[in-house]
Every structure is written in C-alpha cells, then in structure tokens.
Amino acid sequence: PALYSPPPTLPSSSFHSSPLLPTAPPPSPSPPSTDATANNPTADTDATSDAAANFAMKTLLLNDCSHYHAGSVLAARELRRKMQGAGMQEVTSIEEAELLLINGEGTMHHDAPRSRELLAAVAPRREDQKAVLVNSLWQAMTPPAPGLSLAVAREAFSENEMREGDIAPEIHRLPDITLCCKHRPDYVGGGGLIVLDSVWQAETAWLSEIAREMGGRMIYLCDDKREPEAIIDELASADLVLTGRFHGLM
C-alpha cells in the first residue's frame, strides 16, 4: 500500500536552465516550388497570406529550451512553425528585433533566476518594440513584469496568477504549444504501461518503483535523445501512460 501513497512534498526549484539568447535561428527551409505544404512540411497551412503580411516582423525568440528534453524540442519547433506561418522573420539580437517573444514554458516560477533574467531583458526595450510572453507557466512570481504587452498562460492556474498580478494589458490562456504538433499516430495499444520520470528525484524514484512493480517501461525524458515523434509513437503503443512531467502529455 505504501507504494501507491502520494509522493512527499518537495521544495521549489528551477525547472529549466537555458541560455537566454539563441546562438542562431534554425536554417530556413527552401522556398516551395508549387505546393507549399508538400515542399515545406513545417509551413503553417492555417495562416493566410493576409495574416502573414500583418505579422511580418523581425522576431527574437527567447528561452529556447530545446537542450532540455523532447517536450521542449517540440515546443520550440512548434513556436517556430507558427512564427513562420505568420510571416515572422527570426533574428538573433534584441537590437534588431521588433518583437521579443518569450517562450515561458516551465521557467516562470518562484522568481527563479532565469525567470527574472528574461523579464529584465525585455523591460528596457525601445518604444517601437513589443514584448510578449507565451506558452507559459506563471507560479509564485513577484509582480510586476514591466514591459510585457501580452501574456499567454498554458493552463488556468497560471492564468489566474497572471491576472492577480496584472502582469500585462492582455492576458489569455491557450493549451501548451506542443499540442499543436501535427504528428498524431493512431492509438495502437497492447504495449502495457509506460511511465515517464519527474523533475523531482524523489518522485522519479517513486514512479520507477511503480514501473517495476507493474512491469512497465520507464522513460527518463532528459536522458532520452530520440526525436519527439519517436517518443510520441512509443506512447501511442501503451495501454496506460503515467507521467511525472507536464510534457508527458505530448
């Protein structure tokens, strides 16, 4: 019975530690010849040419956490796919950017050093620049968040804290960007239990013990260097998935 009791209460810690600025944007795909969808699989077919014209601005993506695990790789890919679909041009410095786009992900909590560094980077922006926070957790952060024009939470608890702190003129809630991934294999099943680890070591030990007791497969997400699509395919083979990480939902 003790095996299935709730894990112990754990202290707050910094989930993500990523470089504030990207070293370079990913290489741009080759221009399509005739069929944009066939020639450019990363193109956002939902965006119209009018929308692309409206949002064609030089954009700096801050807090790319792709080094962390496959969920973060997928988040960065989907953000860039949406940026491309909207006609945004990715740049590598604050000086040349018209839009500062912060990928909040799991970084914005408990005044973690990285969270305050990100907010400090966009606070002294020029008048002709806009700064927005998207795809974000927001937990136990000390307001204000000067400089933000827009904040988008990925779940309701974060949205509520954003509104209580009045961190931006516009605050919205949208599902995590990883759920926009177009790689959605059919459910196969028959693969039994798959368990994903946690950011907390004590929870991971608890989850791994459950996997052993129930004959499940254990995935340590930060150590798994497969492409996100390969992990999604494996999850689609499971009868049950138990995850200690938000991005186990991908």
Side-chain angles (χ1 to χ4, degrees):
L3 178 62
Y4 304 104
S5 60
T9 301
L10 298 164
S12 302
S13 178
S14 179
F15 292 174
H16 289 169
S17 178
S18 65
L20 179 61
L21 298 179
T23 55
S28 300
S30 301
S33 56
T34 52
D35 185 338
T37 303
N39 288 277
N40 184 2
T42 63
D44 189 347
T45 55
D46 297 331
T48 65
S49 57
D50 288 342
N54 289 337
F55 291 98
M57 58 175 58
K58 295 179 180 178
T59 303
L60 176 65
L61 177 61
L62 297 165
N63 205 37
D64 180 341
C65 300
S66 295
H67 71 287
Y68 193 58
H69 57 53
S72 295
V73 171
L74 198 57
R77 285 184 185 175
E78 287 301 308
L79 279 168
R80 286 191 166 99
R81 185 172 69 83
K82 294 293 185 181
M83 288 165 61
Q84 183 184 22
M88 295 178 181
Q89 175 189 349
E90 186 171 0
V91 297
T92 59
S93 70
I94 287 181
E95 290 73 22
E96 60 183 325
E98 298 169 294
L99 176 66
L100 307 176
L101 182 65
I102 303 174
N103 171 38
E105 212 167 316
T107 303
M108 314 302 288
H109 68 95
H110 296 93
D111 289 330
R114 180 63 61 189
S115 69
R116 301 317 309 185
E117 185 180 356
L118 286 164
L119 294 176
V122 302
R125 59 183 175 80
R126 303 189 312 267
E127 289 187 3
D128 62 335
Q129 287 178 324
K130 291 186 180 296
V132 301
L133 173 68
V134 299
N135 192 49
S136 189
L137 169 77
W138 189 269
Q139 181 183 0
M141 292 286 290
T142 303
L148 292 180
S149 303
L150 170 73
V152 183
R154 63 184 187 180
E155 31 69 33
F157 289 112
S158 292
E159 180 193 14
N160 290 340
E161 288 203 30
M162 286 178 175
R163 293 190 183 281
E164 288 171 5
D166 193 24
I167 70 167
E170 286 190 55
I171 296 172
H172 301 282
R173 169 164 45 98
L174 290 171
D176 190 274
I177 192 73
T178 57
L179 300 180
C180 293
C181 175
K182 294 183 180 296
H183 182 74
R184 294 296 169 202
D186 293 334
Y187 167 69
V188 178
L193 171 68
I194 294 179
V195 182
L196 288 90
D197 68 333
S198 168
V199 68
W200 306 112
Q201 291 184 355
E203 279 190 353
T204 295
W206 177 70
L207 289 163
S208 62
E209 189 171 353
I210 291 175
R212 286 193 299 271
E213 289 287 326
M214 299 184 67
R217 289 172 284 167
M218 191 75 191
I219 295 177
Y220 297 91
L221 204 55
C222 287
D223 297 329
D224 196 318
K225 302 307 180 185
R226 290 178 293 170
E227 290 294 308
E229 292 78 8
I231 297 176
I232 291 172
D233 287 342
E234 182 175 0
L235 296 178
S237 73
D239 298 309
L240 175 66
V241 174
L242 175 62
T243 177
R245 292 182 182 272
F246 184 91
H247 281 129
L249 299 173
M250 65 182 178

